[in-house]
Amino acid sequence: MSTTIAPSVVVPSANIADLQPSATIAVAALAAQLRAAGREILDFGAGQPDFDTPQFIRQAAAEAVEAGATRYTATEGMFPLRQAIADQASALAGGRWPVTAHQVVVSGGSKQSIFNACFSLFGPGDEVLVPVPGWTSYFEIVRLARARAVGVPGDPDQGLRVDPDRLAAAASPRTSGLILNSPCNPTGSVYSSDEMRAILDLAAERGWWVLSDEIYRRIAYESAAPSALQVASDPSRLVVVDGVAKAYAMTGWRIGWAVSPEPLARMMTALQSHTTHNAATVSQHAALAALSRVGESDDAIATMVSAFRERRDAALEVLGGVPRLRTVQPAGAFYLFMNVRPFARDGADAGGEIARRLLDEQGVALVPGSAFGSPDWIRMSYAAPLDQVVEGARRISALLHDGVR
Ligand code: PMP
């Protein structure tokens, strides 16, 4: 006798009722699915370096495990790692104010650090300014905190960056925070010190919290990308988020951190103590090696950044030949953001249409700009081998040439 099991009806709670799954992760999953079905797919969707974690870091982690680093640490992370992060932050602040280990909370990736900060600072009735285009998770994380993310359109003539006028125009008496991301995902735009200072000054004047997501800071091509720690004149409402994922090719290790005023660090620690507790202990040891063995890290980062630069230049060279294709000139991160509006039939979602056609007709996976609030655009991640980047750019160029109408 067989019993029939009724399909589950799952009604989401109000907490997640409006939540959208991550579009960038969805593209990677679709590309993997097509590949598993036998199609050759060039995947430029992923937001992660294609390099292996540097050997000395892997070795340090293996040694730590053998030496018994297999148990819990303090919720906020082990002290030597927090001290190394605090030392780096103090150096960026140039001695204008000290940063102590008590201001550092280590989490399971900078994504969790951003969640901790937003969930601790913002709630119902609050508005948070988010430059558009902006990383997809900012909008959903702010929403999870039951606050409202207010998109602030970037200036197309300034690499889609925002400025104090644009922020002031989008602000309201309910504005309580602002998320900055430089170098920016998805544009690769980098704010100069002066641009960042003007924004931080406005935020300080209005009493807004600034969450500066600096996960791509070490991946910069023209000159070093400034940290908010270097330019802020007042750190009392500043949260700087960083991590090892991108610069050290350590996405899978899941280590990020927030540097904030100490009372906020205590709140985020309390929050994290009831969610995930400490970030994986072995990964904390790996991150400590990455941060403390500066010479070796600097060499590894320089090698990866020069490879990214070569790929960026190669992609731009091919795509620069496509008439009417506008791209943001990326000065950091590893993304190329392209406006495909002139090539699409779908006026509402040009990026979605072109991304679908690229996948179907050319076997090229990239992310539609709608994931970042900019549906006229597509994002190509050039964190892939040079020959693939060139081939991918050729295929994009072929589709856009054919598709010109
Ligand atoms: N911020 C930005 C702008 C990102 O692009 C990403 C990863 N795609 C993250 C944060 C999250 O990084 P992590 O792996 O440290 O959680």
Side-chain angles (χ1 to χ4, degrees):
M1 203 174 74
S2 67
T3 32
T4 326
I5 298 173
S8 322
V9 177
V10 182
V11 179
S13 76
N15 293 336
I16 64 153
D18 297 327
L19 194 68
Q20 300 299 317
S22 165
T24 47
I25 291 173
V27 172
L30 181 60
Q33 207 179 315
L34 289 171
R35 214 181 263 135
R39 275 197 62 189
E40 182 238 3
I41 301 291
L42 294 177
D43 185 4
F44 305 110
Q48 63 176 336
D50 55 318
F51 300 106
D52 288 333
T53 300
Q55 209 274 337
F56 76 93
I57 298 174
R58 288 184 272 144
Q59 181 72 32
E63 283 165 13
V65 170
E66 287 308 318
T70 57
R71 298 194 168 81
Y72 293 136
T73 68
T75 297
E76 64 273 34
M78 59 187 200
F79 190 81
L81 176 57
R82 285 187 292 130
Q83 188 62 55
I85 293 164
D87 289 348
Q88 194 188 63
S90 292
L92 286 168
R96 291 176 306 142
W97 60 79
V99 178
T100 73
H102 303 297
Q103 294 173 254
V104 177
V105 179
V106 176
S107 300
S110 64
K111 193 180 260 192
Q112 187 180 14
S113 305
I114 295 165
F115 178 86
N116 285 347
C118 290
F119 212 72
S120 302
L121 288 172
F122 310 128
D126 288 329
E127 292 181 358
V128 180
L129 303 178
V130 183
V132 173
W135 183 46
T136 187
S137 293
Y138 299 141
F139 300 93
E140 302 301 331
I141 288 174
V142 168
R143 196 178 295 175
L144 281 173
R146 290 180 298 157
R148 197 163 87 84
V150 176
V152 185
D155 184 347
D157 295 325
Q158 297 295 329
L160 296 170
R161 296 190 295 282
V162 297
D163 59 17
D165 288 345
R166 284 172 177 262
L167 293 166
S172 85
R174 287 177 301 282
T175 304
S176 52
L178 156 69
I179 300 181
L180 270 186
N181 176 218
S182 174
C184 173
N185 175 9
T187 60
S189 250
V190 175
Y191 286 76
S192 70
S193 300
D194 287 346
E195 288 169 337
M196 199 181 260
R197 188 173 297 111
I199 291 171
L200 294 177
D201 285 351
L202 173 73
E205 193 186 299
R206 302 280 180 103
W208 301 336
W209 279 92
V210 175
L211 198 167
S212 182
D213 176 354
E214 305 187 354
I215 191 75
Y216 296 101
R217 186 176 56 82
R218 301 288 305 269
I219 305 175
Y221 306 114
E222 316 308 341
S223 53
S227 164
L229 288 161
Q230 287 167 299
V231 298
S233 44
D234 172 7
S236 63
R237 284 172 187 253
L238 177 63
V239 187
V240 173
V241 170
D242 200 347
V244 291
K246 314 288 173 162
Y248 302 88
M250 292 177 69
T251 48
W253 298 80
R254 310 309 302 131
I255 295 288
W257 55 82
V259 176
S260 75
E262 210 180 311
L264 176 59
R266 279 197 295 270
M267 291 176 206
M268 295 193 294
T269 300
L271 170 62
Q272 189 167 299
S273 76
H274 295 297
T275 53
T276 57
H277 190 47
N278 65 274
T281 303
V282 58
S283 297
Q284 291 190 55
H285 281 275
L288 178 60
L291 290 199
S292 53
R293 289 165 66 171
V294 175
E296 288 157 281
S297 283
D298 284 354
D299 287 350
I301 293 172
T303 305
M304 290 189 269
V305 168
S306 85
F308 289 140
R309 182 189 285 108
E310 192 181 13
R311 297 157 181 193
R312 173 197 70 159
D313 293 345
L316 282 172
E317 197 181 315
V318 176
L319 292 162
V322 180
R324 297 195 296 156
L325 178 66
R326 266 197 301 136
T327 63
V328 178
Q329 174 75 22
F334 36 67
Y335 305 110
L336 188 55
F337 207 47
M338 300 172 256
N339 186 313
V340 291
R341 181 73 196 83
F343 309 97
R345 290 182 207 106
D346 183 348
D349 186 18
E353 176 191 324
I354 298 295
R356 267 191 308 280
R357 287 182 54 201
L358 276 168
L359 198 52
D360 278 356
E361 297 169 31
Q362 301 283 345
V364 167
L366 28 70
V367 183
S370 55
F372 311 99
S374 297
D376 285 348
W377 300 70
I378 53 175
R379 186 198 77 176
M380 175 187 192
S381 162
Y382 51 86
L386 182 63
D387 57 334
Q388 286 185 26
V389 170
V390 172
E391 175 58 21
R394 284 206 189 107
R395 293 190 195 180
I396 295 168
S397 161
L399 181 117
L400 298 182
H401 271 296
D402 288 351
V404 174
R405 53 178 68 85

